Amino acid sequence: MDSSSGRDVESHEPVRNVVLVVLDTARASSVDLSATTDRPRTRSGPPEELPTPTLNRLAADGTAFEHAVATAPWTLPSHASMFTGLYPSEHGTHGDHTYLDPTLRTLPEAFSDAGFRTIGVSNNTWITEEFGFDQGFDDLRKGWQYLQSEADMGAVVRGEDIREKLEATRNRLFDGNPVVNAANILYSEVFKPSGDDGADRSTSWIANWLESRRGDRPFFLFCNFIEPHVEYDPPRAYAERFLPDGASYEEATAIRQDPRAFDCEDYEITEREFDMLRGLYRAELAYVDRQVGRLRNALEDAGEWDDTLFVVCGDHGEHIGEHGFFGHQYNLYDTLIHVPLVLHGGPFTDGGRRDDLVQLLDLPATLLETVDVDDPQLREQWSSRSMHPAARDPPREAVFAEYVAPQPSIDRLEARFGEVPDRVREFDRRLRAVRTAEYKYVRGDDGFERLHDVVDDPFERTDLAANEPERVRSLRGRLENRFEPLESAGSNEAIDMRDGTKERLADLGYL
């Protein structure tokens, strides 16, 4: 029986397929899964519009996890944890080593060897074959491209005017197949929906694949939507629904969005401007939520919805002025590691709300158990615990997160900005966090430490470390029991990237 709803988990038919949708940079604090889609009016006026009505309906019909925690505050290590069931220091994929170790067993490999068709559509440059994430996929596509190509024509899209666009076209057109490159340029410049960063194209491709696929093999489908990531540039119609009173679309979209420059005090953002940026961010969530609805419709049209475990999560969160930060680097506040997580299908249908502590690295054990697949190699490797209502795994008493290496490094910041502020130089450290139901403790390899009462101080504003030495000692012991000493840093083997990849990652604020 599921203790949260009193239902008999054995009464549900097993599912055949698994769909894992990652809303890149979706933070739990901006996705209220407890809210209904028909909020009543209040005396002070109309209710604030929900950005994710599709996800809220899924949460109402499926199982919502209120305390889901990412293992890392950014894309690369977080996805590696979801694919391997390991913490960043265990899988070794992070800012100083940006390639997923091919000797590690991955979730797509487990599904593939169990007879599943494995399809991936990624709109984040990190989650591509260039960084080793194609392991186990029959097909891993770049969602932002009209035609698949190793050459990225993003430099054309980023051109500020026609002169820059023509120059970029001339420089890149013959980098690979010029016909394919021309088609990708034409799509991006003419036919791509305004404010879309690949979600519309990805959802349409998946719908066509579902409609045209042959045979009765079950499938594992992974999709990363990147719209909530910097830069926030939602379609005007979405933006205008969420901008604060008195703010125009033109004013909001003119705000400079350069997180690393903001960190290095190259420019300032006022609180009013942050309010507008938060509106744009919520609009991005609303836009991508619509794509989640389209995916559900495509599965229903293909007759696969009732046989599918449908999972939606954020891979990490985002700072939009909170704690004085913009973006998602250099710390482990809950703003960055507390993420939305909803499962629907099989034993997770009508599952209610779960308030136990879970991690995104628990997905491999959960997904495989739900479709009755056992993979001894992956099971022997992982730190994953199943969230299945009938799982034998004990509930977690604590969850953990790591920031293995600054991304970008302080050296890269100095190369770009010259002298960087002392505040930023302090970020050149390795961090680990342990979070229980009541407390959160963060420790750095430079002696930095913070303690927060996350019940009374959910926004982590008050550091209690100096006042509660015994609790600090206890939680520090948990970290030391779980991981090797903080002083042993990870491998420093970042791979050489293609020029187009560097440009796209720079646009996302990573380089």
Side-chain angles (χ1 to χ4, degrees):
M1 300 285 286
D2 183 340
S3 61
S4 65
S5 63
R7 61 185 173 81
D8 183 356
V9 298
E10 300 298 328
S11 65
H12 289 279
E13 292 294 326
V15 295
R16 297 179 68 249
N17 314 307
V18 175
V19 175
L20 172 58
V21 180
V22 175
L23 308 184
D24 206 298
T25 321
R27 62 185 191 178
S29 60
S30 292
V31 179
D32 183 4
L33 295 178
S34 64
T36 62
T37 56
D38 55 348
R39 288 179 171 182
R41 286 179 174 267
T42 63
R43 291 181 182 178
S44 58
E48 186 178 66
E49 183 174 357
L50 280 174
T52 56
T54 300
L55 191 56
N56 283 70
R57 283 191 290 270
L58 280 172
D61 297 338
T63 302
F65 290 82
E66 295 183 341
H67 298 298
V69 174
T71 63
W74 65 290
T75 293
L76 185 76
S78 181
H79 276 74
S81 292
M82 284 189 274
F83 280 23
T84 65
L86 295 168
Y87 290 98
S89 60
E90 295 173 331
H91 58 61
T93 310
H94 48 72
D96 279 347
H97 182 264
T98 53
Y99 194 82
L100 183 62
D101 187 341
T103 66
L104 292 175
R105 183 72 165 173
T106 67
L107 181 63
E109 287 177 316
F111 278 119
S112 180
D113 288 350
F116 284 64
R117 186 94 164 90
T118 53
I119 300 295
V121 183
S122 172
N123 287 285
N124 191 308
T125 304
W126 287 118
I127 313 305
T128 59
E129 82 290 342
E130 190 169 354
F131 300 100
F133 281 86
D134 57 336
Q135 294 172 217
F137 280 109
D138 297 324
D139 188 8
L140 178 60
R141 301 177 60 85
K142 299 182 180 75
W144 66 89
Q145 292 184 340
Y146 184 75
L147 298 175
Q148 295 299 287
S149 171
E150 289 190 356
D152 192 344
M153 295 296 104
V156 180
V157 180
R158 291 184 290 270
E160 294 290 339
D161 53 37
I162 189 63
R163 179 191 59 79
E164 289 188 4
K165 291 179 181 295
L166 290 174
E167 182 178 352
T169 300
R170 183 174 64 252
N171 292 338
R172 292 298 177 85
L173 185 61
F174 294 94
D175 182 9
N177 187 322
V179 176
V180 171
N181 292 341
N184 283 332
I185 292 172
L186 188 63
Y187 172 73
S188 296
E189 291 298 299
V190 179
F191 296 110
K192 187 182 77 169
S194 174
D196 182 89
D197 292 316
D200 182 80
R201 175 68 182 162
S202 299
T203 307
S204 296
W205 185 90
I206 291 170
N208 291 335
W209 177 79
L210 287 168
E211 183 179 359
S212 62
R213 75 188 191 95
R214 297 289 181 265
D216 60 355
R217 286 174 63 190
F219 58 83
F220 168 65
L221 173 66
F222 162 77
C223 182
N224 171 292
F225 290 133
I226 202 170
E227 272 70 12
H229 201 294
V230 165
E231 289 185 3
Y232 318 137
D233 58 345
R236 175 189 287 265
Y238 284 82
E240 290 177 343
R241 287 162 45 191
F242 294 96
L243 288 176
D245 291 343
S248 69
Y249 175 78
E250 288 76 15
E251 183 183 13
T253 54
I255 299 170
R256 183 181 178 188
Q257 297 186 42
D258 190 338
R260 302 294 75 81
F262 174 79
D263 291 340
C264 291
E265 300 177 1
D266 192 54
Y267 78 113
E268 295 182 355
I269 301 177
T270 67
E271 185 53 38
R272 183 174 184 275
E273 288 173 330
F274 269 129
D275 281 342
M276 288 188 280
L277 290 176
R278 293 180 196 114
L280 293 178
Y281 174 78
R282 288 167 60 82
E284 293 280 30
L285 288 172
Y287 177 75
V288 81
D289 182 75
R290 177 176 176 271
Q291 305 300 327
V292 173
R294 290 182 61 207
L295 280 182
R296 173 175 181 163
N297 292 340
L299 287 162
E300 290 174 336
D301 292 344
E304 299 287 359
W305 177 252
D306 292 336
D307 293 326
T308 297
L309 174 64
F310 194 77
V311 182
V312 184
C313 67
D315 61 337
H316 58 77
E318 184 81 322
H319 281 132
I320 316 175
E322 297 83 4
H323 300 288
F325 288 99
F326 183 25
H328 46 269
Q329 296 295 338
Y330 306 131
N331 54 77
L332 291 173
Y333 287 109
D334 270 12
T335 329
L336 299 190
I337 61 173
H338 184 199
V339 294
L341 174 63
V342 175
L343 282 75
H344 181 282
F348 296 98
T349 303
D350 302 321
R353 310 188 61 74
R354 296 258 301 260
D355 61 3
D356 47 323
L357 293 169
V358 299
Q359 303 238 227
L360 292 186
L361 62 71
D362 293 330
L363 286 173
T366 306
L367 305 190
L368 292 182
E369 181 173 359
T370 304
V371 293
D372 197 24
V373 170
D374 182 35
D375 190 279
Q377 186 178 349
L378 186 55
R379 176 163 37 85
E380 183 178 352
Q381 165 190 290
W382 69 33
S383 298
S384 191
R385 295 189 190 183
S386 177
M387 297 178 282
H388 192 290
R392 296 181 179 178
D393 292 335
R396 292 188 179 277
E397 295 180 355
V399 289
F400 303 89
E402 296 185 278
Y403 190 55
V404 176
Q407 171 61 39
S409 68
I410 304 304
D411 288 344
R412 288 195 176 189
L413 293 178
E414 288 178 331
R416 179 182 173 191
F417 299 105
E419 187 62 28
V420 300
D422 289 341
R423 169 180 178 268
V424 174
R425 196 171 298 282
E426 291 177 355
F427 304 152
D428 192 10
R429 60 189 170 206
R430 188 177 190 182
L431 295 173
R432 287 197 177 121
V434 54
R435 190 190 193 284
T436 67
E438 297 177 329
Y439 288 92
K440 167 109 163 276
Y441 172 70
V442 183
R443 180 170 176 79
D445 61 358
D446 60 351
F448 168 87
E449 61 182 2
R450 289 182 69 91
L451 175 69
H452 297 282
D453 181 333
V454 292
V455 176
D456 292 337
D457 179 27
F459 297 107
E460 300 171 275
R461 294 189 176 115
T462 304
D463 179 13
L464 302 175
N467 300 328
E468 300 201 33
E470 288 301 319
R471 196 175 304 279
V472 165
R473 189 175 298 113
S474 173
L475 292 173
R476 184 191 304 141
R478 283 200 179 206
L479 282 178
E480 292 172 350
N481 290 336
R482 182 63 192 77
F483 300 105
E484 78 278 3
L486 260 173
E487 288 71 24
S488 59
S491 171
N492 187 12
E493 299 177 6
I495 65 169
D496 292 332
M497 299 180 220
R498 303 177 191 126
D499 288 342
T501 302
K502 290 180 181 179
E503 291 176 354
R504 186 168 175 83
L505 291 175
D507 276 359
L508 297 176
Y510 287 113
L511 301 180

